[in-house]
Each structure stands twice: as structure tokens, then as C-alpha cells.
Amino acid sequence: MPVHPADFTRTMSRVPGPVTVATTVDASGKHWGFTGNSFTSLSLDPQLILICLDKGASTHAAFTSADQFLINILAHEQADVALRFAKSGIDRFQAGDMVPCELGLPGLPEASARIACSTHGILNGGDHSILVGRVEETYTGTAIPLVYSDRVFGRPGVST
Ligand SMILES: Cc1cc2nc3c(=O)[nH]c(=O)nc-3n(C[C@H](O)[C@H](O)[C@H](O)COP(=O)(O)O)c2cc1C
């Protein structure tokens, strides 16, 4: 390896990013969701976004076989939701704060924004799969978004 993994992740911690919770529902009606900050826009025409998901995650099979998924862009006071949807071995939906939103997918009414997608493709990204979503519906709220930077949650800084 050219760079020690710890050095790579420390360097990447200097890249501030959004905090999202991606959700989907499988054929049996079971809800799935994970916290992801590897979210970005990809294309304007067609309108595409992407988020990367660890191939070893418990949610991987559900998301890579889903026809649709929803990206909840968390508000700055929703760090607790981010931690819950990153925690293993719990029912992440038990808190009951997710309600049917765009495309009927589980969403947070108080999210800063939401983007509902149909699955455009699944790309190979090393130990992650890159979920590419075609934008179907969007919601833009008024809440200030949550950001993750230097391994801490915060809110966007002051513009220079
Ligand atoms: C701030 C934050 C950002 C994260 N971003 C990602 C991500 O982009 N992709 C990913 O696969 N996991 C990400 N994770 C980890 C997942 O949320 C989750 O913990 C992991 O998939 C293990 O979950 P599992 O119990 O479902 O296997 C992130 C966790 C945190 C706290």
C-alpha cells in the first residue's frame, strides 16, 4: 500500500462533507438505512447522484438490489440520527421518526433536503459499491445542513 490506511483516512477527514441517511424498502416491506457522507451530485443531464456503500455492510444486499432509494440530507441538529443509522445490531427505524416521503420511501420530515432516486447503476469501487441514482423527486427544506469535518459533526462555516 502506498499510504498507511490511517494516514489516508486522516487526510480524508480534512474533506468536509454532507451527512446523509440513505433509505430503501425491500420486496418484503422491510426498511433499510445507513448513514453515508460519501454523497455527491454526479450529472446534471441526466440528473444523477452517487453514494458509496461498504460491500461488507448489512445494508449492502438491500441497496444493490433496490429499484429506488431516498437520500435524506440531515439538518444540523440531527447528529443523533446520523449516529443511530451508523450503529450495528439495532433497529435503526424503531425511533419512529421516519415517515413515508418522496416515492413513499422512509424519510425525515425535518431533513434539510431529500432526493428520491431510481437506481441508475451500481459501479464497483474497490471495497465499496457506488450507488448511482437517477433523480426522481426532490425536497428542499429550510434547516441548515449538518456537515462532517475532522471527524466531528458541525454546521457550515461562515463564507469568506
Ligand atoms: C459520519 C459517518 C459517515 C459514514 N459514511 C459512510 C459511507 O459513506 N459509506 C458507508 O458504507 N458507510 C458509511 N458510514 C458507516 C455506516 O453508516 C455504517 O456504520 C456501516 O455501514 C456499518 O453498518 P452495518 O452494521 O449495517 O454493517 C458512515 C458512518 C458515519 C458515522
Side-chain angles (χ1 to χ4, degrees), residues 19 33-39 51-54 56-59 82-83 85-89 92 128 148 153:
V19 187
F34 70 96
T35 298
N37 69 339
S38 56
F39 168 78
I51 189 165
C52 305
L53 177 58
D54 191 325
S58 65
T59 53
L83 291 174
F85 276 83
K87 196 166 182 185
S88 302
R92 297 168 181 169
H128 282 57
Y148 192 62
F153 294 109

